[in-house]
Amino acid sequence: MFLNSPRKKFFILGSPGVGKTTLTEYLFKFLKINLPQFNFSGFITSEIREGLERKGFKIKVLESGEEYLLAIRRDLALSEDIKKKPSVGKYIVKIENLEKILETLEKNLRKKNTFFIIDEIGKMEIQSLRFCKFVEKLLNSSIYLLATVGKGDLPFLRKVRDFELAFFCEVTKENRGFLRNRLKFEFLRKGKLIVIEGIDGAGKTTFAKVLYENLKKKGKLVVFSSEPTSGPFGEKIKTFLIKKESDPQKLRVLFLKDRIWHVENIIMPTLEKGAYLILDRYYISTLAYQSSQGLPFKELLIENETIAPLPDLVIYLDIPLEIAFKRLVNREKKLTIFEKREFLERVTEIYKRCLKLFNHLIIDAAKSIEYNLRYLLEYLDNI
């Protein structure tokens, strides 16, 4: 999950008005109750309204509950403020109020176990150079940060959205209800999600099932599953691949629908009851295989991690292409569109790029299953 992953920054994206702030407030309340080991620091930005009319924006400090005016509509602002202060659209930004809050936040940078929550890193807030420098310090630190990030093509916003070691979630009007429950699994889960990954021919299915049976014999509560699933969309994917149809966008939609079904029907219920869940493939496969087909890696990452809980551990079965391809040729079935040598070379490269985003263990798949199982069990015992 997020708290134990190499990524310490959690960014919530979405269009204005979809509910980013509401989701952030909900998560803050949940985290404050369930993670008492952290000191929470930051602010929430909300609208100032009179009836249906929006007049400006205010900042509420999490620690004290104090509120400060962030921006006021130009027609309501003092003439002196209009002349001297920066503006964003029809709003005048009072960056001096934001910088008052920053004095406290900067002190908290030096405190242990601080978890920052910032709503938001947006066009108004980045009018303050001091705020931008503060965010940069956070990005370059190992401190946890949960923040909403605004849209727009401004360089600093692009820099934040391009930050590689971050978890990204995109809120829409359609998924915001689902996300309340789904995102709690990134901070608190009873079960453990272990994913077996690797190129075709690495022996993932065999190894995943051996691990499942071994944990079961040890008396662990454990569930085995795989992707594509046996659900309605998973069966369509299997038919699609057997027919060697290769439309990347059609596959993208099918895999995402199958993963949503998997998360709602198997993954979240299994983690909720405190079981180990062993998965033969997960969305890391989607990142490696579909970006090898030319689809944008970052888009695939965001749309999949929005709906799919982070694995606790990714076990990558590493194997030379020569051995993998020999195994594939010896199978008593025709190769799918994803089982060609040139394609698997690209997939291998992207897998290596993906692994640094997760807690992972690389296993030499050319060695025996018995040897690798002993190695893995010792590793699991140690962690």
Side-chain angles (χ1 to χ4, degrees), residues 27 37 73 103 106 143 150 153 218 221 300 338 363 379:
L27 288 174
Q37 69 270 35
R73 212 169 58 205
E103 291 176 12
E106 286 164 347
I143 296 171
D153 203 36
K218 288 177 178 289
L221 183 60
L300 290 170
F338 291 147
I363 286 180
Y379 176 82

Side-chain angles (χ1 to χ4, degrees), residues 151-364:
K151 292 201 168 185
D153 203 36
L154 296 171
F156 191 79
L157 294 181
R158 287 202 310 270
K159 181 178 182 177
V160 175
R161 291 195 301 265
D162 289 342
F163 187 75
E164 194 167 15
L165 282 176
F167 172 86
F168 289 90
C169 163
E170 184 147 20
V171 187
T172 64
K173 288 182 178 179
E174 293 73 29
N175 72 11
R176 59 192 181 190
F178 162 77
L179 284 177
R180 284 193 168 201
N181 189 42
R182 176 264 173 280
L183 292 178
K184 290 193 292 187
F185 283 86
E186 296 309 337
F187 301 100
L188 195 68
R189 65 175 67 159
K190 298 175 184 176
K192 297 294 180 187
L193 177 54
I194 299 176
V195 177
I196 313 298
E197 288 285 358
I199 62 170
D200 296 272
K204 297 176 300 303
T205 302
T206 302
F207 191 74
K209 287 182 177 178
V210 168
L211 175 60
Y212 163 74
E213 292 295 343
N214 190 277
L215 291 175
K216 198 174 177 182
K217 285 178 184 176
K218 288 177 178 289
K220 303 291 185 184
L221 183 60
V222 58
V223 173
F224 173 83
S225 189
S226 61
E227 292 192 357
T229 71
S230 56
F233 299 106
E235 292 303 320
K236 287 183 181 179
I237 292 170
K238 292 169 189 174
T239 302
F240 201 89
L241 296 177
I242 290 169
K243 289 181 178 179
K244 298 191 177 183
E245 297 183 43
S246 58
D247 185 321
Q249 288 296 347
K250 282 184 181 178
L251 275 173
R252 178 182 187 172
V253 171
L254 279 175
F255 270 112
L256 201 61
K257 287 182 176 179
D258 186 45
R259 191 153 293 124
I260 292 170
W261 182 91
H262 200 193
V263 167
E264 292 181 334
N265 291 279
I266 296 175
I267 295 175
M268 292 205 306
T270 301
L271 294 177
E272 181 61 39
K273 69 181 181 183
Y276 282 86
L277 177 57
I278 310 300
L279 288 190
D280 172 15
R281 289 202 185 282
Y282 196 30
Y283 67 85
I284 301 96
S285 287
T286 293
L287 299 177
Y289 281 77
Q290 292 200 291
S291 57
S292 293
Q293 287 187 291
L295 296 179
F297 180 89
K298 190 64 174 284
E299 285 183 19
L300 290 170
L301 180 68
I302 294 172
E303 71 184 17
N304 279 278
E305 292 196 333
T306 293
I307 56 130
L310 287 171
D312 292 282
L313 178 66
V314 175
I315 299 165
Y316 179 71
L317 301 183
D318 193 21
I319 192 166
L321 282 172
E322 293 73 21
I323 298 176
F325 196 66
K326 191 178 293 184
R327 290 178 181 178
L328 292 173
V329 170
N330 290 337
R331 285 181 181 175
E332 294 181 359
K333 71 179 186 70
K334 294 181 180 180
L335 300 182
T336 71
I337 56 172
F338 291 147
E339 296 174 333
K340 305 296 185 182
R341 182 187 293 271
E342 298 79 8
F343 185 77
L344 290 179
E345 287 175 350
R346 295 198 300 274
V347 170
T348 300
E349 290 176 6
I350 297 173
Y351 258 129
K352 299 294 173 68
R353 174 186 173 187
C354 290
L355 289 177
K356 65 183 178 181
L357 299 176
F358 306 93
N359 283 328
H360 67 273
L361 178 67
I362 298 175
I363 286 180
D364 183 354

Side-chain angles (χ1 to χ4, degrees), residues 207 361-364 369-382:
F207 191 74
L361 178 67
I362 298 175
I363 286 180
D364 183 354
I369 291 177
E370 294 76 16
Y371 175 88
N372 283 331
L373 181 62
R374 286 196 304 272
Y375 175 68
L376 173 59
L377 292 175
E378 287 176 9
Y379 176 82
L380 293 176
D381 284 341
N382 288 332

Side-chain angles (χ1 to χ4, degrees), residues 18-52:
V18 297
K20 297 191 298 296
T21 295
T22 302
L23 179 61
T24 303
E25 287 183 301
Y26 174 82
L27 288 174
F28 165 61
K29 290 173 184 175
F30 171 80
L31 296 175
K32 194 171 182 182
I33 293 170
N34 290 283
L35 300 178
Q37 69 270 35
F38 287 107
N39 301 307
F40 291 93
S41 180
F43 62 85
I44 298 289
T45 303
S46 58
E47 296 177 344
I48 300 171
R49 283 189 175 272
E50 195 171 288
L52 297 176

